Amino acid sequence: TTTTTTTTTTTKLNSTTSPQNNPPTTPQELLQRITKEYTQNNYLWTGNIDTSSFRPDCRFTDPTLSFVGVDKFVSNVGSLVPIVEFLLGSRQSCQSKLLSIGNDAEGGYIETRWNMVGELDRLPWKPRIDVIGRTKFWYSGEKGQEEEICDGDSRPVQVYFYDEMWEIPAGLALLQLVTPAGTIANSNCASGDDVIA
């Protein structure tokens, strides 16, 4: 099942994670929590995630790095957020746009498509970060098991592998830091692709 939505969230950066009392127990609950990471937490910029949705030994990957552990994620975010907050300047204009989200129950993952947009006002050339990407949140009910978890199962359903990809090469995405806004396209999708503004 795939749900398409367009949501824009702008919030002041905050490196604090927001664990719930209990981890999710169904894929649908996990999907709802992941939705809130974009729509409420602006997590692409803040790193503010619900840590109870992730296994302590979850592997995180994106086009620039890979590491293991929620604690490592929290530590990395704690180091980066003050820098990002400085670069954004007084307006703190940054958005996490959730373009679509869906659960592949057979595959055992939730996939999102998103647009990360931010104005780095502190830099004289006023660059604009604008990247479209996709993230697969692979989940399981018990460590080492990737089988589908039934809705009636009370075992925690948590993410064990966070796999983020961008629709432009990492090098081009990073070049946005040193070029004027609008110089580099946010996606290499063909014109006929389903891009939701």
Side-chain angles (χ1 to χ4, degrees):
T1 302
T2 300
T3 302
T4 298
T5 182
T6 304
T7 304
T8 301
T9 300
T10 304
T11 60
K12 181 170 172 51
L13 300 193
N14 185 343
S15 61
T16 304
T17 55
S18 54
Q20 302 290 329
N21 291 330
N22 298 299
T25 57
T26 66
Q28 183 59 32
E29 184 182 356
L30 178 61
L31 184 146
Q32 291 170 352
R33 293 197 191 186
I34 291 173
T35 297
K36 290 179 181 179
E37 309 290 25
Y38 298 88
T39 62
Q40 296 182 15
N41 294 343
N42 195 16
Y43 97 97
L44 292 174
W45 287 97
T46 66
N48 186 357
I49 63 169
D50 175 1
T51 54
S52 67
S53 295
F54 297 80
R55 294 193 178 283
D57 60 351
C58 178
R59 174 175 291 277
F60 294 83
T61 67
D62 71 22
T64 63
L65 78 167
S66 178
F67 59 89
V68 174
V70 171
D71 288 346
K72 182 68 172 177
F73 177 90
V74 173
S75 174
N76 289 348
V77 167
S79 300
L80 288 174
V81 164
I83 298 171
V84 173
E85 190 171 37
F86 172 80
L87 292 175
L88 287 168
S90 59
R91 289 194 305 145
Q92 295 292 293
S93 177
C94 59
Q95 304 173 11
S96 296
K97 298 180 180 182
L98 179 60
L99 304 179
S100 65
I101 185 168
N103 176 36
D104 186 325
E106 183 176 350
Y109 62 84
I110 291 167
E111 183 171 18
T112 61
R113 186 168 186 258
W114 44 264
N115 187 191
M116 180 181 184
V117 182
E119 313 284 343
L120 303 187
D121 290 343
R122 188 78 67 171
L123 298 175
W125 55 93
K126 307 295 183 185
R128 184 172 194 256
I129 301 302
D130 186 356
V131 175
I132 292 177
R134 300 173 187 266
T135 303
K136 287 184 178 180
F137 300 81
W138 295 84
Y139 60 82
S140 63
E142 290 185 349
K143 183 176 181 180
Q145 295 181 346
E146 293 85 50
E147 78 276 10
E148 177 183 349
I149 305 301
C150 298
D151 284 351
D153 201 320
S154 61
R155 293 175 296 173
V157 176
Q158 294 174 298
V159 177
Y160 67 90
F161 180 33
Y162 172 102
D163 186 16
E164 178 179 308
M165 297 173 290
W166 303 342
E167 293 186 2
I168 57 174
L172 283 180
L174 295 175
L175 275 177
Q176 291 183 346
L177 292 168
V178 295
T179 55
T183 304
I184 299 172
N186 63 8
S187 173
N188 60 8
C189 290
S191 58
D193 202 359
D194 183 19
V195 178
I196 304 170

